[in-house]
Amino acid sequence: MSVTVRDVQSFRDRGERFVMLTAYDALSAKLLDEAGIPLILVGDTLGMVMLGHDSTLPVTMEDMLHHTAAVRRGTTNALVIGDMPFMSYQASLEEGFRNAGRFLKEAGAHAVKLEGGGRVLDLVARLTDSGIPVMAHLGLTPQSVNQFGGYKVQGRNDEAAYRMLEDAKELEAAGAFALVLEAVPAELGKKITANLHIPTIGIGAGPHTSGQVLVWHDFLGINQAKVAKFVKRYANLGDDIKEAASAFAREVADGTYPGDEHSYE
Ligand code: KIV
């Protein structure tokens, strides 16, 4: 049975903690799907971890549709969420509406994610009203990195924390089916979660959110750069890949590979 947005609400209602992971291609998504990961986000982090940009801002709709379609081809069970890139929904309601529709129509996504509070409420309401489930995203929303003056923890003072809680309630009222909370103090993550009926999904938002999300290259240790405090590496594939590449080069150089077992008669 494929995971639906209703299942995600049931996780929350039953108090069952769940996870979301990012993926950007079919085979990676297939591995996550087979591991039983219920939610796969095709994040606009692809700009940084796949395309080598230093922020998510250059990511285009075409980039996102291309990778979201690949992820969908690799999955059978997971709920696939396509992340709306910078400037695909900021300029007008109409443009945001059409671009969100493209994720479902052209890439086969089951839902979209978009960043921000007040300014996206009308869009969230219109999308959910039209059958396009929306995952909201508050806190350190990377598309606003220039506004924030860097990748900084958000909601640290009372006023900012109050504003974020109000934004969260408004997003829920507008119809969002889940809310990502990124880089906020654990207490605020807890408070927002307690004040909503929809699930929250934390990344650097402490242990009290309904679910947790990590980025593919971070949790697998493929990204060997200095990562945010909230990242836990569950594998060291970066080292494994380097070792495998060196072993291949060594065995070709010394004639060990290819052996008879790898050669045709
Ligand atoms: O783009 C992304 O991968 C994200 C997650 C970090 C939540 O937004």
Side-chain angles (χ1 to χ4, degrees):
M1 260 287 282
S2 310
V3 177
T4 69
V5 292
R6 284 175 184 268
D7 295 320
V8 182
Q9 183 61 50
S10 302
F11 298 153
R12 159 77 165 108
D13 296 343
R14 292 197 297 261
E16 219 174 278
R17 290 165 193 256
F18 62 94
V19 298
M20 174 164 83
L21 282 163
T22 71
Y24 313 93
D25 66 86
L27 281 187
S28 308
K30 186 166 187 286
L31 293 173
L32 297 183
D33 201 54
E34 288 173 0
I37 300 302
L39 280 82
I40 299 182
L41 171 67
V42 189
D44 64 353
T45 39
L46 88 83
M48 300 169 86
V49 296
M50 298 291 290
L51 305 179
H53 296 301
D54 63 3
S55 77
T56 59
L57 303 188
V59 176
T60 65
M61 272 300 293
E62 302 316 314
D63 293 333
M64 290 306 306
L65 293 176
H66 182 74
H67 287 267
T68 304
V71 165
R72 266 299 272 127
R73 287 192 287 270
T75 55
T76 44
N77 291 316
L79 185 83
V80 174
I81 302 115
D83 207 1
M84 296 193 69
F86 182 56
M87 290 316 294
S88 68
Y89 59 99
Q90 283 87 346
S92 74
L93 185 67
E94 213 50 46
E95 199 173 7
F97 187 53
R98 287 193 192 290
N99 280 327
R102 292 187 71 195
F103 273 94
L104 274 70
K105 230 173 144 61
E106 297 175 37
H110 302 113
V112 297
K113 178 172 86 56
L114 44 78
E115 298 182 4
R119 69 183 163 78
V120 299
L121 290 178
D122 288 347
L123 180 57
V124 173
R126 176 133 179 225
L127 291 174
T128 52
D129 199 39
S130 309
I132 301 179
V134 180
M135 178 178 282
H137 186 163
L138 291 174
L140 171 50
T141 45
Q143 292 174 12
S144 300
V145 61
N146 290 309
Q147 191 72 32
F148 296 147
Y151 295 97
K152 296 177 181 161
V153 177
Q154 300 296 307
R156 277 202 187 278
N157 64 52
D158 288 351
E159 196 192 324
Y162 172 78
R163 186 62 253 157
M164 205 183 299
L165 177 58
E166 291 307 299
D167 278 343
K169 289 183 191 165
E170 286 167 7
L171 286 161
E172 173 175 280
F177 76 92
L179 170 67
V180 170
L181 285 174
E182 179 164 353
V184 302
E187 268 313 301
L188 182 56
K190 183 178 181 181
K191 189 166 182 185
I192 292 177
T193 302
N195 276 275
L196 296 185
H197 302 288
I198 57 169
T200 55
I201 306 178
I203 176 158
H208 305 290
T209 53
S210 325
Q212 298 286 335
V213 52
L214 285 173
V215 167
W216 175 269
H217 298 75
D218 293 343
F219 95 100
L220 291 175
I222 297 172
N223 179 8
Q224 296 194 313
K226 188 171 180 298
V227 286
K229 180 180 181 185
F230 56 73
V231 170
K232 178 167 177 183
R233 289 186 169 123
Y234 284 85
N236 272 312
L237 294 196
D239 287 341
D240 292 347
I241 290 168
K242 286 182 191 169
E243 275 164 31
S246 304
F248 176 44
R250 205 169 46 244
E251 291 194 0
V252 168
D254 67 17
T256 315
Y257 177 85
D260 288 345
E261 70 277 30
H262 306 114
S263 305
Y264 298 105
E265 304 234 328

